[in-house]
Amino acid sequence: MVCLKPSRFLVLRIITVTSISLFFVSAPLHKILYGTGSALNLGTFKLISPLDWLLLNLGSGKIVLDLLLPGLIVIFIVIMFGRFFCSWVCPAGIILDYMNRFTESRRRISGTQSLEKHVILSAILLAGILFRFTAPYFYSPPGIVHRILIQYLTRGIVGVDLAALSLIIISNGLVGRYGRTWCRNICPLGTLTGSLSIVNLFRPKVEIDRCIECFRCEDVCPMQIHLVKSDRWGMMSCTKCFECLEICPVKAVRLVLN
Amino acid sequence: MKIFSGEKIVRRSFIKHLVEGAIIIGCLNFASTAASSSNEPVRPPGSVEEKYFNLLCVRCGICLQVCPTGAISLSGFEYGARAANTPVINPLCGPCEFYRGRCEGEMRCSRRCPTGALRQIGRDEVKLGTVHLNKEYCLAHRGFECMVCAEMCPVPGAITVQERKPVFNKDECVGCGTCLYACPAEPKPLQLTSEGARRIKWFV
C-alpha cells in the first residue's frame, strides 16, 4: 500500500514550486519579473532555458549574441548544481510527484536509467541542425504548465499545451509506474541538464560506516539512483528532492558539498 | 564500456538505439514538412522575419501576459508545426493599440520579449499587415449609415470616406485591426492578412 502522507520535503517543494509559478503568472500585477519556465526577463537581465538556448543557436546556425550571456550563466548554474531545477522549479515534475503518490507501485522495476533519453535528446538536437526544426512548445515541461496557466488566466482558453501535458502524464503512467518515469526516461530538458552537471554540488552521499543496507533510500528515489554504491556519474540525474535524507532510519545519508 | 553506473552498452542495444534515433528524426522531419503552411500569420509589432521568428521564439508566453488589449493569442497548428504556440494578432479578441490607445508608444510585448524575436522599433516603422474589405457584407455599401471603421481608425488617411462609403488605403494601413474589432456587421466584412507586413531583418 502506498504511503499517502507526504514527506516534509515534498510539502516544501510543492510550496516552493507553486509560489514560483504564481509569481511568474501574476507578472502583470507586480511588474517586477516577467517570465515563465522557458525564459525570464528582468529588464536588462535575462535567463533562458538551456535546451531552448541550444536549439536556438543550432537552428539558426549562428550564435545569438543577445542571448550569449544569459545562456552561459544558465549553463554555469546547471554545471554547478545539476538537476535541482527538476525538483524545485518545474511544475510538471511536481504534478507527476503528487500523482505518483496515489498510483505508483512501491517496488523497484529492474534496471537503472535507460539510454533512450539520450537518443531522444540527440535526435531533437540533430533535427534542429539538419531540418532547422525546433518545437520548444513540447520540449520544456515547465513552459507547458506556465503557458496553460497564462492562457487560461488571460484568455480563458487552453491550446496545444494541454495535449502536451496530458502526453507527459500518460507516458509517465505507461512507461513504468515507479517514480518520475517521464523525467527519468524521456524528458529532453532534464537529460540535457543532467548531462551537463559535471560539478554537481550538494549531492546526497551514503556514509558506508553507518549504513545498515536497508536500501530504503534507493526505493524512495524517484529517479531510481543506486545511491549506496553510486559514483559521481551515477549521481548526475539526482534532482535534489532529498527524499532519501528523510527516509533513512539511521541518518546515514548526508548532503555533501562535493 | 562503462558510461553509467551499473550499465553496459552491448552492440545489439547500440544498434537498437541507433534505429530508434533514426525513427525519431524521421518523425520530426515529417512533422516539420507535412504540417507547414504557406500563409503567414499576422505577428505582433517588431517581429523578425518569419523564417527566424519560429526559431527565436521560445514560447514563453510573456507577450500574451503583457498585452493590455488581448490582441495577442497563441496559434495552434493552423500555421504549421513550426509555428505552433507562437504569438499571433487576433483582432477579433482585441485591437493592437501600438499606434494609439492603451499601448501607445510602448509596445509592451516587444519591450518584454526575452529572446529578441520581437524587437523594439519606432511607431512609424510598424506595419503588421493590411485590412481587406469585402463590399458584400459592408453595411455602408449595403445602404446603411455606418462609418464606425473610419471613425475608429487611429491612422490618418488609412480609411477615407467617399460618398458615405469607407475606402481603404492599403499603403497607409498599419494593420492594427481597430476597424475590424469595432465593425458592427456580422459576418465581418473586413479581413486582416499579413500582406505587405514589414518584418525586421534578423541580424546576429
Side-chain angles (χ1 to χ4, degrees), chain A residues 41 113 132 137 147 155, chain B residues 7 59 72 81-82 112:
Chain A
N41 193 351
Q113 323 244 332
R132 302 258 181 275
Y137 51 89
R147 264 200 314 278
R155 305 287 185 271
Chain B
E7 186 152 15
R59 279 76 160 171
I72 297 178
R82 276 166 200 268
R112 290 293 176 189

Side-chain angles (χ1 to χ4, degrees), chain A residues 211-231:
Chain A
C211 179
I212 54 170
E213 300 198 353
C214 64
F215 295 110
R216 279 191 211 175
C217 52
E218 292 191 2
D219 280 344
V220 83
C221 180
M223 303 303 286
Q224 286 199 352
I225 298 169
H226 287 298
L227 211 69
V228 176
K229 53 177 180 180
S230 190
D231 56 354

Side-chain angles (χ1 to χ4, degrees), chain A residues 138-168:
Chain A
F138 187 67
Y139 302 151
S140 109
I144 291 172
V145 178
H146 287 151
R147 264 200 314 278
I148 289 176
L149 287 173
I150 290 171
Q151 280 196 74
Y152 186 72
L153 289 174
T154 58
R155 305 287 185 271
I157 48 156
V158 181
V160 188
D161 300 307
L162 199 63
L165 184 64
S166 359
L167 212 65
I168 290 176

